[in-house]
Amino acid sequence: MSGYLAVAAVLAAGVLLFVAAMGARRLLAPRAPSAAKASTYESGVDPVGEGWAQTKVRYFVFSFLYVIFAVDAIYLFPWALVLRSPEIGRASLVEMFVFIAVIVLGLAHAARRGLLRWV
């Protein structure tokens, strides 16, 4: 039970710090609302036209591919440590080959569909 108490204490301390910070901000921060402060602001330029703009889906595909390979790296580092263990080393090696094969298959599919060309 001491593990649960430690987790509960850390969560309570986090919530307490958050509440204290928001309370201090409410008490100490200056408030001077105005119409200019309530308007939309984007990089120092006044907004013109509507808020909708078209963008290429390709940028989202690159971001998804980045996230996928970043998650792969998170799995590969612990695997490298488990591989040293003699009791599960071979099983871990086979599982990682399957994992990497699935990732390479997905990358080959993205390349075949032309999603990796930056145009």
Side-chain angles (χ1 to χ4, degrees):
M1 287 303 281
S2 65
Y4 290 114
L5 290 175
V7 170
V10 168
L11 285 174
V15 169
L16 183 65
L17 283 172
F18 175 77
V19 169
M22 291 297 111
R25 182 195 59 84
R26 179 155 312 265
L27 291 174
L28 300 175
R31 281 183 291 251
S34 68
K37 288 182 180 179
S39 69
T40 305
Y41 180 79
E42 180 70 33
S43 301
V45 179
D46 290 331
V48 177
E50 295 183 19
W52 293 99
Q54 286 187 339
T55 184
K56 293 187 178 187
V57 177
R58 182 172 312 272
Y59 300 127
F60 295 113
V61 172
F62 279 113
S63 66
F64 288 144
L65 288 173
Y66 171 77
V67 168
I68 289 170
F69 287 108
V71 170
D72 294 345
I74 291 171
Y75 285 121
L76 288 174
F77 286 118
W79 169 75
L81 295 175
V82 170
L83 187 64
R84 296 178 185 169
S85 174
E87 35 307 322
I88 59 172
R90 288 182 190 221
S92 174
L93 185 64
V94 170
E95 289 172 0
M96 194 49 64
F97 276 134
V98 170
F99 178 73
I100 291 174
V102 169
I103 297 302
V104 168
L105 184 67
L107 185 62
H109 176 71
R112 185 172 50 109
R113 296 211 38 191
L115 297 174
L116 300 179
R117 287 185 309 221
W118 186 266
V119 177

